Amino acid sequence: MQKKYKSALVVEGGALRGIHTAGVMDVLMRCNIYFPYVIGVSAGALNTYNYISHQIGRSADILLHYIRDERYLNLKSIPNRKESAFGFDFMFYGLQEYLPFDLETFNDPSQAFVVVATNLADGQPVYFRKGECSDIFKAGAASASLPLISPPVELDGFTCIDGGVADPIPFRKAMEESEKVVVLLTRHRGFRKRTMPFAERETAKQLYKSSPQMLEAALSANDRYNDTLDLLEQMEDEGQLFVVRPSKEIDISLLERNTENLGRLYQEGVQDGESVLHALSEYLGLTNALLQFSDNGALRRRKYEIGNYTSAERLLAQVQGMADLGVRETGNRAHQAFLERIYAHLTELGLRVHSDPYYFSRLETFEASFTVQYADVCVSLPCSAIRYAGLSGSEPVEGVLSVVRDKNYRFIGARGKIAVVHLNAEILNNTARYEQSFSVPEEAMLPEYFGVGEKLASFGSLTVAGLAGVKGVICVWDDDGSVPDWVVPYAQNDVGIPCVWIGAADGAHLQQIMDEHPEAIAKIQVTAEAQMHAQTQTLYCILPGQESGESVIVHTHTEGSGMIEENGAIAMLSLIDALRGKPLRRTHIFVFGSGRYRLPMFKSEQTSCCGQWLRMHRDLWDGKQGHLRAVASIAIEHLGIADLPDVVFSSNTGLDGVYMRALEYCTDPCAVVLRAYSGIFGEGAALHHAGIPCLAFAAEDARLWVHPCDDSRFSAQKMLRQTQTALDCLTLLDDMPRESIGRVQKQPLRSRLPYAERGTKHEKSDD
């Protein structure tokens, strides 16, 4: 029978030995390992609350900072047993003031959580489940109510004490519902409990004299625990489950209050957790990109773990929230709302946010129509406007149709007519050429039709059409039968003539009309509302470095549609959170640019809205007259495309080495690195052309532009891994001397290739 959960985590108790478990669980969280089913007992359950809420370090913080606080542990209450020695109300509620608990994440139903207690009436285990139990926090108090130092707890009709009496290591319960089981223990291998001391037996007889079944369970608890360990170790040896335990005997007392001893035990838990990660990942079949190992199986240590500041779940929520705003064209309401979210997030991090306001003209509410008239017939074909190419005015433009078949789009034959142009991803792809620097693995290849987006961004042939005297242009997208409704070409200059898109099916219908009726007259009308004083803004913040004089720039743009184009800003927020307050050598500047979807009004000589920011803030990068000198930069775009390799442009061999070293941390990396001699795709272009060495993350293919709101391709896990790689690159760059990073390499591409491989002029990328 198929089980409900793929994996389960079982967490043993052990009073304050549980701080070792806290160390192990922090390692799991840092590596983004979250089990769909978790079951805990006693102190193990208390640790697990913070694991379910995804709060790294909170368990250790509580133990190390409050173990001597009587609100947390009051040894004076032990003799009378009227109150628990542990202050559960303080643990679950009072600590909110000092260490807030993430209740929203805890309540997420994607992780099942079960707490084990013992029923005082019959000595049998009671399994309280999150979402079904009336008070899951009170269940934790019941599970951790040690029989000799705490009173029983009433919950859901049960009177309960410590769960370790009835089911000390509930792996059998976990195996009923889960395919694979991982068990966290607080005792070293080979440990067994001694026979219960006489004093404890006599105390148990007094406590449970009115409940024979409970008394029997209490008196046999040690034997039951040893039998459980026997079975557990047997199943572990047979590979039926996986066990994480202390590598050596734990020598602290049951109610240890020495914080030095507790701190040492926490670090031992971290080390023991890291030491089994390789074997654990193989047992679970994990492809978690945050897990990376050296040849001997040891965990590679990064300088900073992005998992401490975000998670795949959080990234998914942030990206989905961005996409829900709608298409974010430069300066529209959705774009402004996204900028406001970025501003609020940075402010919450305690950073000063700088803003560059821009005023420009924009068009909105585009309406387009296309009709063909012949004899007494008038056919209306669905179309969408090519934005900013040109408007027709109150009356449509009309003319005879003329197909432009020249591969170089010479429109001279269509002078005074309506030109028809056929386009597809293959045609646009053939005009682009990039030199591959290296790939990991070696067989990794560029995505099919890579670079199409850059060509669609500014379809330069439309400018030629306007100069040739063409009245209007019909662009047929032959790769899709439906009418394209894109923001591209967003870099198109006004050519003074109306231009529209139609789909392949309507293009075939149009061709049939032209074949049968060469005299047919076409009419195109494109209208829009003008907003002459539109406003937007570029935001940026600065993390100061300890050494003056040098800077690193991280850039993205904030316009886009869907979850992929453009989510770089969300990754940058996580990078800022990870680096703020850290001892950085260089000043780090994070730029959230605006202008991408109204590029002709914002760009410099390079096709990037980053150029506008660079012109306005030379003091932060050009190194002249006491200005900061930018020694490196990173541009981040299009993260989390599940079915594509990472594509990165690099300005020089020094940055090649940085990126290659960052990939060593990744499990099963798949990346293609391109040398940026002839230019960089996207937002890295202005940085590269300004002489700032750049790593530009810019994966894409034709589908990203043809289907911009196809969010099925987005992977939050991949975005998390790419964000970690960007963080690794930044930390590596910060530790490198400027000379090792190098300068932008601008050698012409052809001069470095054998003659037979140089190709023809039209093959060279002109982006």
Side-chain angles (χ1 to χ4, degrees):
M1 184 179 70
Q2 186 174 5
K3 297 182 180 180
K4 185 175 181 181
Y5 302 100
K6 288 189 175 182
S7 60
L9 181 66
V10 179
V11 189
E12 183 192 14
L16 295 180
R17 292 192 305 274
I19 197 168
H20 180 279
T21 302
V24 176
M25 297 177 89
D26 281 353
V27 170
L28 296 179
M29 287 190 280
R30 288 191 182 102
C31 294
N32 204 43
I33 300 175
Y34 290 98
F35 293 79
Y37 178 97
V38 185
I39 184 169
V41 182
S42 193
L46 299 181
N47 274 322
T48 304
Y49 284 87
N50 297 310
Y51 175 75
I52 299 295
S53 68
H54 298 195
Q55 291 180 271
I56 300 170
R58 189 172 187 269
S59 292
D61 282 346
I62 293 172
L63 280 170
L64 294 174
H65 290 105
Y66 294 98
I67 191 62
R68 293 181 176 277
D69 191 317
E70 290 188 352
R71 294 173 297 175
Y72 181 85
L73 176 60
N74 185 3
L75 301 181
K76 298 176 183 178
S77 65
I78 292 178
N80 58 33
R81 292 185 68 253
K82 292 182 179 179
E83 295 181 2
S84 173
F86 289 100
F88 294 116
D89 286 342
F90 179 69
M91 289 183 195
F92 292 126
Y93 306 110
L95 278 169
Q96 277 289 88
E97 180 181 353
Y98 312 105
L99 294 169
F101 182 74
D102 189 345
L103 186 61
E104 182 178 356
T105 300
F106 176 83
N107 286 329
D108 188 333
S110 63
Q111 270 190 297
F113 178 37
V114 178
V115 176
V116 185
T118 299
N119 185 2
L120 196 59
D122 57 13
Q124 295 299 306
V126 181
Y127 302 102
F128 295 107
R129 195 180 188 105
K130 183 183 74 172
E132 298 176 4
C133 169
S134 64
D135 189 339
I136 192 64
F137 296 100
K138 196 171 184 180
S143 179
S145 292
L146 299 176
L148 301 182
I149 65 174
S150 300
V153 174
E154 301 282 344
L155 179 62
D156 292 351
F158 298 98
T159 302
C160 300
I161 60 169
D162 189 287
V165 175
D167 194 356
I169 311 172
F171 65 90
R172 283 163 288 202
K173 176 67 174 176
M175 295 182 77
E176 293 175 5
E177 301 189 65
S178 307
E179 296 174 9
K180 293 188 175 183
V181 173
V182 175
V183 183
L184 304 189
L185 299 181
T186 57
R187 295 290 193 181
H188 60 285
R189 187 177 176 101
F191 172 83
R192 295 296 185 273
K193 286 187 176 182
R194 298 173 296 173
T195 302
M196 183 177 290
F198 175 80
E200 287 187 24
R201 295 177 64 86
E202 293 302 309
T203 302
K205 290 177 182 179
Q206 291 296 319
L207 290 175
Y208 310 126
K209 58 186 178 182
S210 60
S211 178
Q213 292 173 298
M214 181 63 226
L215 177 58
E216 182 182 353
L219 294 177
S220 61
N222 285 6
D223 292 336
R224 186 180 308 105
Y225 180 75
N226 292 339
D227 291 343
T228 299
L229 285 178
D230 290 341
L231 178 60
L232 185 70
E233 291 180 7
Q234 177 186 338
M235 297 182 72
E236 178 188 12
D237 293 339
E238 294 172 353
Q240 297 185 55
L241 44 72
F242 191 95
V243 178
V244 183
R245 54 168 62 85
S247 54
K248 59 185 180 182
E249 183 176 357
I250 293 178
D251 59 355
I252 68 169
S253 63
L254 181 69
L255 299 178
E256 178 71 55
R257 302 184 77 187
N258 186 309
T259 54
E260 184 176 339
N261 291 341
L262 291 172
R264 185 186 69 251
L265 185 54
Y266 170 76
Q267 292 301 329
E268 290 176 5
V270 170
Q271 294 167 9
D272 289 337
E274 290 182 349
S275 69
V276 301
L277 275 177
H278 189 262
L280 176 63
S281 63
E282 289 185 340
Y283 171 73
L284 295 174
L286 294 176
T287 57
N288 187 335
L290 296 182
L291 291 171
Q292 10 70 35
F293 305 96
S294 59
D295 293 339
N296 63 3
L299 181 71
R300 292 185 188 273
R301 291 181 177 272
R302 292 183 166 99
K303 192 168 185 178
Y304 305 121
E305 294 286 348
I306 199 67
N308 292 342
Y309 307 96
T310 190
S311 64
E313 294 85 358
R314 186 179 182 188
L315 288 175
L316 178 60
Q318 289 175 310
V319 171
Q320 184 64 66
M322 173 193 72
D324 289 344
L325 294 172
V327 177
R328 301 168 300 285
E329 293 190 51
T330 303
N332 72 358
R333 289 184 179 181
H335 183 224
Q336 289 300 110
F338 186 45
L339 288 170
E340 289 171 5
R341 289 187 183 183
I342 294 171
Y343 186 95
H345 191 116
L346 294 173
T347 302
E348 287 175 3
L349 294 178
L351 300 173
R352 179 185 177 187
V353 186
H354 304 267
S355 174
D356 293 336
Y358 301 138
Y359 297 91
F360 65 105
S361 63
R362 64 184 300 269
L363 301 177
E364 57 186 6
T365 319
F366 284 91
E367 294 184 0
S369 65
F370 170 43
T371 59
V372 183
Q373 189 169 353
Y374 55 92
D376 295 329
V377 179
C378 184
V379 178
S380 178
L381 297 177
C383 66
S384 62
I386 296 182
R387 307 176 186 212
Y388 297 104
L391 303 178
S392 59
S394 58
E395 297 295 328
V397 298
E398 60 181 77
V400 176
L401 292 161
S402 176
V403 178
V404 178
R405 302 186 186 278
D406 188 291
K407 67 178 182 180
N408 292 320
Y409 300 109
R410 297 186 179 94
F411 286 86
I412 193 66
R415 180 186 296 273
K417 301 177 182 180
I418 303 292
V420 179
V421 178
H422 286 263
L423 288 171
N424 57 49
E426 184 176 3
I427 291 173
L428 294 172
N429 186 68
N430 283 339
T431 65
R433 178 172 183 156
Y434 304 95
E435 183 189 4
Q436 185 167 314
S437 180
F438 70 90
S439 60
V440 179
E442 289 187 5
E443 59 270 20
M445 299 177 63
L446 271 178
E448 187 177 17
Y449 304 139
F450 177 79
V452 167
E454 194 72 354
K455 297 301 174 183
L456 273 174
S458 179
F459 184 41
S461 297
L462 294 180
T463 302
V464 178
L467 293 174
V470 173
K471 289 186 173 182
V473 180
I474 309 297
C475 290
V476 183
W477 186 252
D478 287 332
D479 284 347
D480 200 327
S482 59
V483 179
D485 187 16
W486 305 330
V487 176
V488 290
Y490 51 75
Q492 182 62 55
N493 286 297
D494 188 344
V495 298
I497 57 175
C499 305
V500 297
W501 291 107
I502 66 173
D506 293 309
H509 186 194
L510 177 63
Q511 187 61 54
Q512 181 183 357
I513 293 174
M514 295 173 64
D515 292 341
E516 297 175 358
H517 304 278
E519 76 288 355
I521 299 296
K523 295 183 179 182
I524 305 176
Q525 186 166 22
V526 176
T527 60
E529 295 180 8
Q531 187 178 358
M532 300 307 296
H533 303 288
Q535 180 182 1
T536 188
Q537 56 188 322
T538 285
L539 306 176
Y540 67 98
C541 65
I542 299 174
L543 301 183
Q546 295 177 337
E547 299 178 11
S548 62
E550 295 183 346
S551 64
V552 174
I553 297 172
V554 187
H555 189 278
T556 192
H557 68 89
T558 49
E559 295 88 345
S561 54
M563 297 175 70
I564 295 171
E565 164 74 10
E566 177 53 64
N567 56 27
I570 299 218
M572 280 172 51
L573 293 174
S574 298
L575 293 175
I576 292 168
D577 195 12
L579 292 177
R580 68 188 177 99
K582 301 299 191 300
L584 301 172
R585 287 180 57 205
R586 299 182 172 101
T587 295
H588 283 59
I589 305 161
F590 294 83
V591 184
F592 301 84
S594 290
R596 187 70 175 176
Y597 279 4
R598 194 63 184 96
L599 205 54
M601 300 195 71
F602 287 81
K603 71 178 182 180
S604 58
E605 63 275 12
Q606 298 86 34
T607 56
S608 168
C609 60
C610 181
Q612 179 90 325
W613 184 87
L614 289 172
R615 287 197 306 275
M616 295 177 63
H617 299 285
R618 293 184 178 276
D619 58 311
L620 296 177
W621 67 272
D622 71 3
K624 298 178 181 178
Q625 300 174 351
H627 295 174
L628 290 174
R629 177 189 296 275
V631 299
S633 60
I634 292 181
I636 302 177
E637 298 180 82
H638 313 160
L639 301 182
I641 308 178
D643 53 356
L644 294 187
D646 297 346
V647 180
V648 178
F649 285 92
S650 170
S651 290
N652 61 33
T653 54
L655 291 180
D656 287 354
V658 169
Y659 185 65
M660 186 179 294
R661 190 172 166 195
L663 289 181
E664 292 178 0
Y665 294 116
C666 300
T667 301
D668 299 325
C670 184
V672 178
V673 177
L674 304 176
R675 174 63 71 245
Y677 292 142
S678 58
I680 289 180
F681 171 86
E683 285 305 294
L687 296 161
H688 176 82
H689 285 291
I692 305 172
C694 183
L695 279 173
F697 294 73
E700 65 108 58
D701 62 6
R703 287 175 293 166
L704 180 61
W705 308 102
V706 177
H707 304 290
C709 292
D710 179 10
D711 296 335
S712 63
R713 304 178 70 193
F714 177 74
S715 165
Q717 183 65 48
K718 184 167 186 178
M719 183 177 178
L720 179 69
R721 193 264 297 163
Q722 291 168 321
T723 306
Q724 176 69 74
T725 300
L727 178 59
D728 293 336
C729 289
L730 286 172
T731 54
L732 289 168
L733 285 168
D734 198 43
D735 289 337
M736 291 174 64
R738 185 180 68 192
E739 293 75 16
S740 298
I741 297 172
R743 299 180 178 180
V744 168
Q745 294 175 357
K746 294 185 177 180
Q747 297 94 325
L749 178 61
R750 274 171 196 70
S751 68
R752 297 177 59 85
L753 295 177
Y755 181 81
E757 299 179 20
R758 292 184 186 178
T760 57
K761 288 184 178 179
H762 78 273
E763 292 177 318
K764 184 178 178 181
S765 171
D766 60 0
D767 50 357

